[in-house]
Amino acid sequence: MEKVWMKNWPDFIPQEAQYSRGRKPLFEYLRDNAREFPDRTAIIFYGKELTYGELDRMSDQFARFLLDQGLKKGDRIALFLASCPQYHIAHYGINKMGGIIVPCSPLFKQWELTYALRESEAKAIVSLDLLHAVTAPSCKECGIQTIIVTSMHDFLPAEPTMNPAPMMQIPKMTHPDTIEFMDVFSRYPAEPVKAQIDLDDVVQLQFTGGTTGVPKGAILTHGAKLFKASTLVDILRANIEFLGNKNDANICLAILPTFHIAGMLGSVDAMIAMGATQVLMVMFDPVAAMQAIDRYKIQFFQAAVPMNIAIMNHPERGKYNLSSLLLCLTTSFGIQLNEEIVNQWRQDTGGCMLAEAAYGLTETHTFDSFMPLNKPRYEAGCQGIPIPGQQIKIVSWEDKTREVPIGEIGEIVLKNPAVFKGYWNKPEETANTLVDGWVYTGDMGKFDEDGYLYFLGRKKEMIKVSGFSVFPEEVETFLLQHEAVDKVAVIGAPDVKKGEVIKAFIIPKADFKGKITAEEIIKWAKEGISSYKVPQAVEFRDELPMSGVGKVLRRVLLEEEEKKMK
């Protein structure tokens, strides 16, 4: 389609990716930054500071350690960590020696971690000490012998400058048959490893559900990472300058989890490529966030709308000065961003601009659109305009070769230099999603006459919970492990407050009918699966709607729930 969005292109935003330090893997940007300003602080972690020189040296040492362990280019290495400096060090160390990162959520239970390790054929893992009860049995089942363990206390100062997260209160643990992360830096020299890394080489397997089914590893390349990080840096620098700051050394707050594609792109990739100083948080806490903004004079951060609301409404809000903030890019998870919230935020912070962050998905390394700050919009679903180098079209659901007219709803299909290479070991799923370089998202959307993109929901049955993707098949497979469950169907049921919640419809086994409660199922699920995947509602039934070939018709269940809302 015609690029109608160009008529609203901000004149202060480059129309092409600038690649400020050239077209090369992003870890080379870290090396260049470390040479140019080795003493500049790269990461502040609750008061502990890590410079660009230190991050570069430590990631070199970690790369040498991995090679010494017999790992080689192309081997998959899992990161089972929360957001912490160790994540950045391991991430860049793996990049430098040519390994492939497999990010794993620290919320994973054993069943989920085992799935990710087995699917990716991981050869090693870096894990938090407090997650070892999950790590050890999963690694044993998958035959992984190289287990590197680290603690939050390895980089936590004696007197934190921000309120620590609850997990940081747990004392450091040691575990047999593991390697201490911090021992690496007393054993290996800080000399760059010699590895031939090209932009077409795979950099990470990011697990997603694609358009259907259980999680699949999206194959992302160094070139994809470079393109998206460079484009984000270009837009962020231009936006901050547009808002009045011309200082190249920006101070940012990193709240989004680094194992998630958005948090990784923002914190681990773009902020380091940009040469910014990031104040890194393990998890969002409104008081800790306000402490960081006040103490370190934060200029930018990315959030979700409930975080903005939590800060404004906190009873201790008056204790902290947030006037250093220039820009917050936020995402409408759970609460839709609107002009009222935008104006409240601007008044509360003393002028900070609040705008919708972006449309994006794992298969494209996320960040596929941006909101023009000179012409922001706050209508429900508005995601701004496509980023430089991005092609987006809206096609008919019935005929995917036909683009629909402006204003008409169809499937969002996109193409850019960061599009994934496919799903790991899943050629059929790849062929269904990736066609001639175009990603068929399964998302409903439209363009308006000014070229603004609107995301209007998921045609697929994937459920969005607190910003995470939850796949019905995965939750169903898990629930079937319960001794009382005979058959189950899971949907995203409409909810007045949250927009969408996980609901499970269960046919109990004959011996358990009338003897098992919804509360018991939910309590059991909390022990075995990530909190955001636990059903919030359970309904017992004698039968489920089925198709002629025996497939559960989730859409029938969804329609029933929607009728209840009317």
Side-chain angles (χ1 to χ4, degrees):
M1 64 172 288
E2 178 190 355
K3 294 184 177 181
V4 292
W5 56 86
M6 293 307 298
K7 62 184 178 182
N8 284 304
W9 194 271
D11 59 9
F12 54 90
I13 300 289
Q15 294 185 18
E16 296 180 354
Q18 299 299 291
Y19 302 109
S20 60
R21 292 191 181 275
R23 293 176 182 260
K24 55 189 178 183
L26 212 59
F27 64 79
E28 295 288 2
Y29 279 52
L30 168 60
R31 284 176 170 158
D32 290 345
N33 287 344
R35 282 191 288 265
E36 185 174 334
F37 35 80
D39 297 326
R40 180 184 292 179
T41 301
I43 302 169
I44 300 173
F45 188 65
Y46 296 82
K48 170 70 173 179
E49 298 189 7
L50 191 71
T51 67
Y52 273 89
E54 290 169 330
L55 177 58
D56 187 45
R57 289 193 296 274
M58 294 178 83
S59 56
D60 278 336
Q61 289 175 289
F62 194 72
R64 285 198 167 275
F65 156 75
L66 293 174
L67 291 172
D68 189 54
Q69 293 296 305
L71 295 161
K72 60 186 185 301
K73 180 179 179 179
D75 283 345
R76 276 73 64 201
I77 302 167
L79 297 183
F80 192 33
L81 302 168
S83 300
C84 56
Q86 298 95 305
Y87 202 105
H88 291 62
I89 294 167
H91 176 105
Y92 279 103
I94 296 168
N95 283 180
K96 287 176 175 180
M97 55 75 65
I100 298 173
I101 299 166
V102 182
C104 297
S105 166
L107 298 176
F108 277 176
K109 299 297 194 294
Q110 182 183 333
W111 181 73
E112 298 161 296
L113 180 62
T114 301
Y115 174 85
L117 297 180
R118 184 184 293 118
E119 281 291 301
S120 65
E121 302 167 281
K123 299 290 183 65
I125 187 170
V126 185
S127 171
L128 280 177
D129 55 353
L130 54 84
L131 300 176
H132 193 67
V134 176
T135 304
S138 292
C139 288
K140 183 177 181 181
E141 188 170 340
C142 296
I144 296 174
Q145 297 182 338
T146 304
I147 304 173
I148 304 100
V149 176
T150 187
S151 168
M152 286 294 177
H153 293 272
D154 289 342
F155 281 85
L156 186 65
E159 297 183 5
T161 56
M162 300 146 56
N163 288 357
M167 70 169 64
M168 302 170 83
Q169 310 292 344
I170 301 171
K172 179 180 173 69
M173 308 176 196
T174 57
H175 300 285
D177 301 318
T178 63
I179 300 166
E180 276 289 328
F181 183 83
M182 297 305 290
D183 287 350
V184 169
F185 310 109
S186 60
R187 293 168 49 196
Y188 290 89
E191 298 175 2
V193 298
K194 294 180 180 179
Q196 180 62 44
I197 312 297
D198 300 318
L199 291 178
D200 287 337
D201 288 336
V202 179
V203 68
Q204 68 199 56
L205 295 184
Q206 192 79 27
F207 275 90
T208 177
T211 55
T212 59
V214 296
K216 295 176 280 290
I219 304 169
L220 302 173
T221 66
H222 283 273
K225 185 180 287 289
L226 171 66
F227 172 73
K228 283 299 177 74
S230 297
T231 306
L232 178 54
V233 168
D234 294 341
I235 292 176
L236 185 55
R237 276 180 172 154
N239 279 339
I240 291 177
E241 185 171 336
F242 171 75
L243 294 173
N245 178 46
K246 301 186 185 301
N247 181 4
D248 187 52
N250 296 292
I251 311 293
C252 308
L253 180 63
I255 293 176
L256 302 185
T258 50
F259 65 84
H260 190 277
I261 189 69
M264 187 185 301
L265 176 63
S267 168
V268 188
D269 298 332
M271 289 186 191
I272 296 301
M274 187 179 188
T277 295
Q278 61 181 282
V279 179
L280 182 63
M281 293 180 64
V282 170
M283 59 190 298
F284 174 71
D285 172 80
V287 174
M290 290 188 289
Q291 290 170 336
I293 296 166
D294 188 354
R295 182 183 186 95
Y296 297 107
K297 307 307 175 190
I298 302 294
Q299 298 160 326
F300 164 77
F301 75 106
Q302 189 171 344
V305 177
M307 297 179 186
N308 301 105
I309 300 294
I311 288 173
M312 290 191 290
N313 292 345
H314 199 278
E316 296 183 25
R317 168 65 190 90
K319 293 182 180 180
Y320 303 100
N321 182 354
L322 310 186
S323 62
S324 62
L325 287 172
L326 294 173
L327 175 63
C328 176
L329 296 177
T330 195
T331 304
S332 297
F333 288 148
I335 301 174
Q336 174 62 47
L337 184 65
N338 56 40
E339 287 196 62
E340 180 181 359
I341 295 172
V342 168
N343 291 333
Q344 287 175 348
W345 179 260
R346 181 184 295 112
Q347 183 176 358
D348 182 84
T349 59
C352 177
M353 184 163 192
L354 185 64
E356 193 74 36
Y359 170 78
L361 58 157
T362 302
E363 289 87 344
T364 63
H365 221 110
T366 200
F367 182 54
D368 293 304
S369 69
F370 73 100
M371 186 64 68
L373 297 191
N374 59 334
K375 296 180 181 179
R377 295 193 177 178
Y378 306 106
E379 298 98 331
C382 186
Q383 305 295 314
I385 63 178
I387 63 168
Q390 177 77 268
Q391 299 179 63
I392 299 182
K393 58 186 180 182
I394 312 296
V395 302
S396 165
W397 292 103
E398 291 73 29
D399 179 4
K400 294 182 181 294
T401 65
R402 181 178 69 85
E403 291 188 45
V404 302
I406 287 175
E408 186 174 319
I409 297 173
E411 181 177 7
I412 300 174
V413 182
L414 48 81
K415 184 178 187 179
N416 64 58
V419 163
F420 77 138
K421 296 180 74 170
Y423 296 118
W424 184 258
N425 291 335
K426 297 200 181 300
E428 184 176 345
E429 289 89 341
T430 297
N432 291 335
T433 302
L434 187 61
V435 181
D436 297 328
W438 290 88
V439 176
Y440 285 74
T441 67
D443 290 337
M444 296 183 290
K446 67 176 184 179
F447 275 112
D448 67 14
E449 293 182 354
D450 293 318
Y452 284 72
L453 176 69
Y454 288 74
F455 166 63
L456 302 172
R458 291 160 297 284
K459 187 78 170 181
K460 51 196 174 185
E461 295 170 322
M462 183 173 70
I463 306 165
K464 283 284 188 180
V465 179
S466 301
F468 294 101
S469 299
V470 180
F471 311 101
E473 291 92 338
E474 184 183 14
V475 181
E476 289 165 358
T477 301
F478 173 75
L479 291 175
L480 284 168
Q481 298 179 48
H482 193 286
E483 61 180 355
V485 177
D486 185 22
K487 294 182 176 65
V488 61
V490 169
I491 67 167
D495 181 83
V496 174
K497 292 184 178 180
K498 298 183 178 180
E500 194 174 40
V501 297
I502 299 174
K503 182 170 183 177
F505 297 85
I506 292 175
I507 299 178
K509 293 177 181 176
D511 292 344
F512 289 88
K513 285 188 177 180
K515 299 178 182 178
I516 186 78
T517 66
E519 290 74 20
E520 288 174 310
I521 294 288
I522 292 171
K523 182 180 179 181
W524 173 85
K526 287 179 179 178
E527 298 297 320
I529 199 167
S530 297
S531 56
Y532 63 89
K533 299 177 184 177
V534 174
Q536 293 188 262
V538 172
E539 181 177 325
F540 294 102
R541 292 197 169 192
D542 293 326
E543 59 183 14
L544 295 171
M546 310 288 284
S547 71
V549 294
K551 183 178 180 180
V552 175
L553 298 175
R554 295 195 195 96
R555 59 176 173 78
V556 174
L557 296 171
L558 180 57
E559 288 167 0
E560 291 174 5
E561 294 298 306
E562 289 173 340
K563 287 179 182 177
K564 294 178 184 178
M565 298 286 291
K566 295 179 180 178

